[in-house]
């Protein structure tokens, strides 16, 4: 069990939350410990994955994506902040487009 816990902790420290321990290999409290670590890894993986998808979309110029703000705890707050950031960026881009259209229209009239 120590080896599995160490492997999961090492993976998490390295930023790899996709790893899971083999909880079926243990009984009683040891199974519960590995199962709890698996839940922790899965929650972190899901939360960070949702944020990664939104930020990758923004980096590619897609301001239509949003993260699941119903994620638990800090992940939900991060998702909500990412969503608000994307919404504000989209509003800024729209204001720039509107200003550009107005300038082009005025230039055409001149």
């Amino acid at each position: 069990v120590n080896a599995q816990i160490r492997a999961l902790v090492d993976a998490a420290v390295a930023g790899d939350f996709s790893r899971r321990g083999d909880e079926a290999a243990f009984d009683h409290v040891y199974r519960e410990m590995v199962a709890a670590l698996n839940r922790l890894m899965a929650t972190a993986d899901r939360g960070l994955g949702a944020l990664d998808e939104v930020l990758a979309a923004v980096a590619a110029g897609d301001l239509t994506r949003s993260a699941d703000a119903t994620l638990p705890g800090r992940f939900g707050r991060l998702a909500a902040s990412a969503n608000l950031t994307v919404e504000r960026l989209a509003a800024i881009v729209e204001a720039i487009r509107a200003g550009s259209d107005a300038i082009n229209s005025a230039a055409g009239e001149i």
Side-chain angles (χ1 to χ4, degrees), residues 1-2 5 11 25 28 39-41 51 53-54 60 70 89 92 101 108:
V1 76
N2 285 339
I5 291 171
H28 310 295
R39 284 192 311 275
L40 174 65
M41 295 292 277
L51 293 171
E53 289 176 14
V54 170
T70 65
L89 281 173
I92 290 168
D101 289 346

Side-chain angles (χ1 to χ4, degrees), residues 40-99:
L40 174 65
M41 295 292 277
T43 300
D45 195 38
R46 188 174 64 250
L48 292 171
L51 293 171
D52 181 46
E53 289 176 14
V54 170
L55 292 175
V58 169
D62 179 0
L63 299 179
T64 63
R65 301 286 298 271
S66 63
D68 181 4
T70 65
L71 290 167
R74 170 102 11 130
F75 292 118
R77 290 190 303 273
L78 283 169
S81 293
N83 293 342
L84 183 57
T85 299
V86 171
E87 289 171 19
R88 292 210 172 136
L89 281 173
I92 290 168
V93 168
E94 185 54 37
I96 291 169
R97 282 187 186 143

